[in-house]
Amino acid sequence: GACLCVVGAPFDVVKVRQQQTRSDGASPSRIVRSILRAEGVVGLWRGVGPPLMVAVPQFALVFGSHEAARALISRHSTRPPGDGRDAALAGALVAVPTTFVYTPVDRVKLAMQSDGRRVASGLPPLYSSASQCARQLWRSGGAASFSRGFFATLARDVPGWASYFYVYSAAKRWLTSGGGVLDGTAELSPVASLAAGGLAGAATWATCLPLDAVKTHYQSDVAHRTYRGACRAIFRASGVGGFFAGFWTMVLGGVPRDAACFAGTEAAQRALALRRMPQAASATLRTSFGGRWI
């Protein structure tokens, strides 16, 4: 989770800037040059503090929730084990608990990233740190300030997590000889895990980016009193294309980020599965899988 957060932060910063900027000046290269001139390389990681602090428990919640949902669905599903529809449904259910974590974290992150836009335009920063930003948000609106954008986050993440786990499961099974996925039983294949993870990340952002654009505008600008108002503001500024601002930035950025996430997750699950097995069975599996990643 921490590695995913660090690798993905520059893509996220550029994506948010694209969503907040009119289309005529929102090319990724132009935005990167603007950030580097105003803030240096560190500007590409502006706002990464809050997501990084919660990255490990956050992704433990993501994969733990998915495992619990998958186990629940398997007890009631009449479809064969590993069916992609069950993986998608389990992924959609992940959004329910994770939205409570993502909403306040994204609220602080977006405030910091919006402040970076001020700096790039020559204005002094409003926040010197993420903690100061969080304190200011609390003073301005209390707990309600941190829950702003909750339903937009939930609406984005239901299809987002469904796509995430469906595409990974389908791609991993197609790229390997089958077997379990994300349960510690499948043969570890770094190439397959990286490729399937990259496809999952790209598919997720291709699915949920319009909803993410609405969430970004609503959370970062308190002038928007409703989600409908945020939608109208996006359309007036950039037309339909405004809902897809940052598309290629995040689709391409999702490839290395989520490839590393899934590859690391499967390696960890495999190691834990081997640790729980009896010594003889563990040795047999180590031999049959060539000791890869263990």
Side-chain angles (χ1 to χ4, degrees):
C3 291
L4 181 150
C5 184
V6 172
V7 172
F11 296 100
D12 187 67
V13 168
V14 174
K15 180 263 295 182
V16 169
R17 196 70 62 85
Q18 286 180 279
Q19 290 175 335
Q20 295 177 334
T21 306
R22 290 182 179 272
S23 59
D24 56 355
S27 71
S29 59
R30 183 171 178 177
I31 288 173
V32 169
R33 289 195 299 270
S34 173
I35 293 172
L36 292 176
R37 282 196 302 268
E39 304 175 73
V41 175
V42 71
L44 293 172
W45 279 267
R46 175 173 280 273
V48 74
L52 186 59
M53 285 189 291
V54 300
V56 173
Q58 182 172 305
F59 276 87
L61 178 62
V62 167
F63 286 98
S65 299
H66 180 261
E67 180 62 28
R70 189 170 62 172
L72 177 64
I73 292 167
S74 66
R75 290 198 294 268
H76 302 280
S77 176
T78 58
R79 291 185 282 265
D83 188 277
R85 289 167 291 182
D86 289 344
L89 179 57
L93 292 174
V94 166
V96 177
T98 57
T99 298
F100 287 94
V101 177
Y102 274 101
T103 303
V105 170
D106 279 2
R107 181 76 169 96
V108 177
K109 181 193 72 174
L110 284 169
M112 291 289 293
Q113 291 176 346
S114 297
D115 198 33
R117 188 180 174 197
R118 284 174 49 85
V119 174
S121 65
L123 297 173
L126 293 175
Y127 313 113
S128 60
S129 65
S131 60
Q132 186 205 2
C133 176
R135 289 194 299 269
Q136 182 61 37
L137 290 175
W138 177 266
R139 284 195 293 266
S140 65
S145 182
F146 292 95
S147 64
R148 182 177 175 84
F150 178 89
F151 291 107
T153 304
L154 182 63
R156 177 198 67 174
D157 287 355
V158 167
W161 287 122
S163 300
Y164 197 64
F165 287 103
Y166 174 82
V167 172
Y168 181 79
S169 178
K172 184 70 186 297
R173 291 180 187 280
W174 184 73
L175 291 168
T176 61
S177 57
V181 176
L182 292 174
D183 60 3
T185 64
E187 178 179 350
L188 289 174
S189 170
V191 173
S193 294
L194 289 168
L199 288 172
T204 298
W205 283 107
T207 300
C208 67
L209 194 63
L211 291 166
D212 183 74
V214 176
K215 183 188 84 72
T216 294
H217 280 261
Y218 185 78
Q219 281 190 307
S220 60
D221 189 348
V222 294
H224 299 311
R225 301 183 64 85
T226 64
Y227 294 121
R228 180 179 296 181
C231 290
R232 288 173 175 168
I234 295 170
F235 188 78
R236 282 196 301 267
S238 306
V240 175
F243 293 95
F244 295 91
F247 179 84
W248 288 113
T249 300
M250 291 309 294
V251 168
L252 297 178
V255 173
R257 189 184 67 169
D258 293 292
C261 177
F262 272 114
T265 298
E266 287 225 333
Q269 288 179 328
R270 189 63 181 160
L272 290 171
L274 289 175
R275 185 180 293 274
R276 291 193 296 266
M277 289 180 179
Q279 185 174 2
S282 176
T284 300
L285 284 172
R286 286 173 185 270
T287 301
S288 65
F289 294 141
R292 283 180 289 181
W293 291 33
I294 303 298

